[in-house]
Amino acid sequence: LAGTRSPAMRDSAARLLLLLSEYHPLVIEGMGSYDARAPGTVAATVSRLLRQRWEASPPGKPVILVTQGDPLAARGISAITRAVASELSLPRALVCLDDSIDPSHSRDADRDGVILELRYSMLAGVLEPPGAAPASLAALTRAVDSSLAAKNAAREAEGKPRLKEYYRDYALLQEVTKAALRAACGGVTVAHTAEEISPFSVTSFYEAGLAVGAVIESDMVRFTSERECARER
């Protein structure tokens, strides 16, 4: 999945990663457009929790919100990240799958406020050299594959179909992005938009990253105020 990069792409990746390393990256994970909650209310809660975290433990660098190619929608993660960026006055970076993996991913991505844009293979390269990061690309891939197998086994036991093949691509995008950002920038903050996470969602693969040390518990900002995010009526 990492793909093959030409020398020109490697030079571009190095420049972009150097620029990105001047920031503390924020990654927000959650449901897509099927999220029925009011995005502004969810974003206000996430923003409040982030302010609390950073007041107690300042990131030490300007914060940049890193999104992962979700197309703009009225609800869900793309609407929430837009609102958090506005609330906290954050610039944004964008990471998309390479066209060789999914040509529609970059095409449909929301680029509002984006000042840096990278591809999955650029971040995967950060994790490829042995010892370059707490979790290698190989270890993270094995963890995602193991998690995917367990989820499919659970679904089959419940009489449900296996997860679509693209889940692996997007789970790796999610976990490689966080691990590479943490390695390249010296830290990362990961915030969730819901207290309860479906065990069969892409977001749920965050447990694979935690399991191999790609991120650690102190990087996480858990969503703890579900009651504040009632459905719009």
Side-chain angles (χ1 to χ4, degrees):
L1 185 59
T4 301
R5 293 177 295 149
S6 68
M9 287 181 66
R10 287 194 292 270
D11 289 344
S12 175
R15 288 194 299 270
L16 288 169
L17 288 166
L18 183 61
L19 290 171
L20 193 58
S21 70
E22 298 298 317
Y23 294 91
H24 176 84
L26 164 65
V27 177
I28 302 177
E29 299 173 341
M31 293 176 280
S33 58
Y34 59 91
D35 188 344
R37 300 169 301 164
T41 307
V42 180
T45 300
V46 172
S47 297
R48 175 176 59 79
L49 294 170
L50 287 168
R51 285 192 178 101
Q52 290 173 353
R53 165 61 63 86
W54 291 331
E55 285 172 5
S57 181
K61 296 180 182 180
V63 176
I64 191 166
L65 197 164
V66 182
T67 59
Q68 296 172 64
D70 297 277
L72 182 61
R75 296 176 185 266
I77 191 65
S78 65
I80 292 166
T81 50
R82 269 201 180 200
V84 171
S86 177
E87 175 72 18
L88 300 179
S89 300
L90 301 178
R92 303 208 307 177
L94 172 65
V95 181
C96 291
L97 290 170
D98 297 75
D99 288 349
S100 60
I101 302 169
D102 182 352
S104 70
H105 193 228
S106 173
R107 181 195 68 201
D108 298 338
D110 178 23
R111 288 177 167 79
D112 181 65
V114 170
I115 63 170
L116 291 171
E117 183 169 339
L118 301 95
R119 291 291 181 268
Y120 168 85
S121 61
M122 297 177 177
L123 294 181
V126 174
L127 306 178
E128 284 177 334
S136 68
L137 180 62
L140 199 48
T141 301
R142 286 194 298 270
V144 167
D145 285 343
S146 177
S147 180
L148 181 60
K151 292 176 189 298
N152 279 328
R155 288 179 66 85
E156 289 175 356
E158 296 174 11
K160 297 177 180 178
R162 294 168 64 85
L163 294 171
K164 301 291 187 183
E165 289 187 5
Y166 63 75
Y167 267 71
R168 182 178 188 270
D169 293 341
Y170 286 92
L172 280 169
L173 172 67
Q174 175 181 278
E175 296 313 306
V176 166
T177 293
K178 292 181 295 186
L181 291 175
R182 192 173 193 273
C185 302
V188 67
T189 297
V190 181
H192 284 169
T193 66
E195 196 165 5
E196 295 185 9
I197 296 171
S198 166
F200 302 126
S201 65
V202 171
T203 299
S204 71
F205 283 86
Y206 82 91
E207 295 175 337
L210 280 172
V212 296
V215 293
I216 57 177
E217 186 60 41
S218 61
D219 297 327
M220 307 294 296
V221 176
R222 305 284 186 172
F223 193 93
T224 57
S225 300
E226 190 74 55
R227 291 188 300 276
E228 297 182 21
C229 300
R231 295 169 183 267
E232 284 186 333
R233 300 187 184 277

